[in-house]
Amino acid sequence: MGPKHLLLVLLSSLGLWLGYKQLQSYFIQPEAIFVLGGHADRERFAAKLAKQYPNLPIWVSSGSPEGYVTKIFAKAGVKSDRLHLNYQAKDTVTNFTTLVNELKSQGVDSIYLVTSDTHMTRARIIGEIIFGTNGIILKPVGVHSHTSPEPLEKLLRDTGRSLLWLVTGKTGETLLHK
């Protein structure tokens, strides 16, 4: 098989996989809300979503300071026993890697993924690699933001880091130039 055929097979496979994941997320009823921290708008949006789904636990990964986050959810009328705050993550990849085992141990097999709309593509790909390979289905919910779309370089870098994590258990976060 020549390089053109191989590329066609790879692109076709990727397209089929993405289509399958899209259908899967359409039909699933998530068992938890997973918020990627970084902007209070995401936490406020998640608090409103939590009101719509009063039985779902909420996981916030490296969000706003604890007191501020708890006030956002309390103001929305969300009980504090549903709220799980985790501050281990340093970036988007580690948002997923630091909580995948915890969610699995809690029996969570599907989540609402809450992040900014301009961050969703990268977050979803990372999430599919890290959560998806661990049996957790994502249902993305984008929060409108006024920021520019993320550069392709971030997507490629973090996709590579996620694949590295699958193989080695390491995210390569120490290799990042910040």
Side-chain angles (χ1 to χ4, degrees):
M1 190 173 354
K4 288 182 184 179
H5 289 102
L6 182 60
L7 181 60
L8 181 61
V9 168
L10 287 173
L11 290 176
S12 297
S13 298
L14 179 63
L16 288 171
W17 180 73
L18 289 173
Y20 168 73
K21 296 309 266 180
Q22 187 69 33
L23 275 173
Q24 191 180 41
S25 73
Y26 181 76
F27 290 109
I28 194 74
Q29 179 57 50
E31 300 169 339
I33 298 169
F34 183 70
V35 186
L36 299 184
H39 296 283
D41 289 346
R42 298 175 190 173
E43 292 146 2
R44 283 190 286 273
F45 182 90
K48 290 177 188 173
L49 186 64
K51 288 292 290 180
Q52 293 175 7
Y53 299 98
N55 296 320
L56 298 183
I58 305 112
W59 295 83
V60 180
S61 180
S62 294
S64 300
E66 184 177 348
Y68 188 68
V69 174
T70 55
K71 282 181 187 175
I72 288 173
F73 283 90
K75 187 176 178 180
V78 176
K79 294 181 181 179
S80 63
D81 64 344
R82 294 174 57 199
L83 191 58
H84 305 273
L85 305 178
N86 183 293
Y87 292 94
Q88 296 175 56
K90 304 292 183 217
D91 54 47
T92 304
V93 175
T94 56
N95 281 138
F96 291 95
T97 61
T98 58
L99 282 171
V100 65
N101 291 331
E102 178 69 21
L103 290 171
K104 288 302 294 177
S105 73
Q106 297 290 322
V108 174
D109 294 322
S110 56
I111 59 148
Y112 283 109
L113 173 61
V114 178
T115 191
S116 303
D117 54 359
T118 57
H119 183 241
M120 185 59 77
T121 300
R122 181 165 59 106
R124 184 154 188 208
I125 289 172
I126 294 165
E128 292 293 358
I129 293 169
I130 295 168
F131 278 14
T133 59
N134 282 278
I136 300 174
I137 300 168
L138 310 176
K139 187 167 198 139
V141 183
V143 178
H144 180 71
S145 68
H146 300 285
T147 59
S148 301
E150 294 184 325
L152 180 61
E153 294 81 21
K154 277 186 164 185
L155 173 67
L156 295 174
R157 178 198 68 205
D158 286 353
T159 298
R161 289 181 59 219
S162 300
L163 294 170
L164 176 68
W165 179 83
L166 278 182
V167 175
T168 68
K170 308 273 187 220
T171 64
E173 73 180 271
T174 57
L175 303 174
L176 293 177
H177 301 281
K178 292 186 179 187

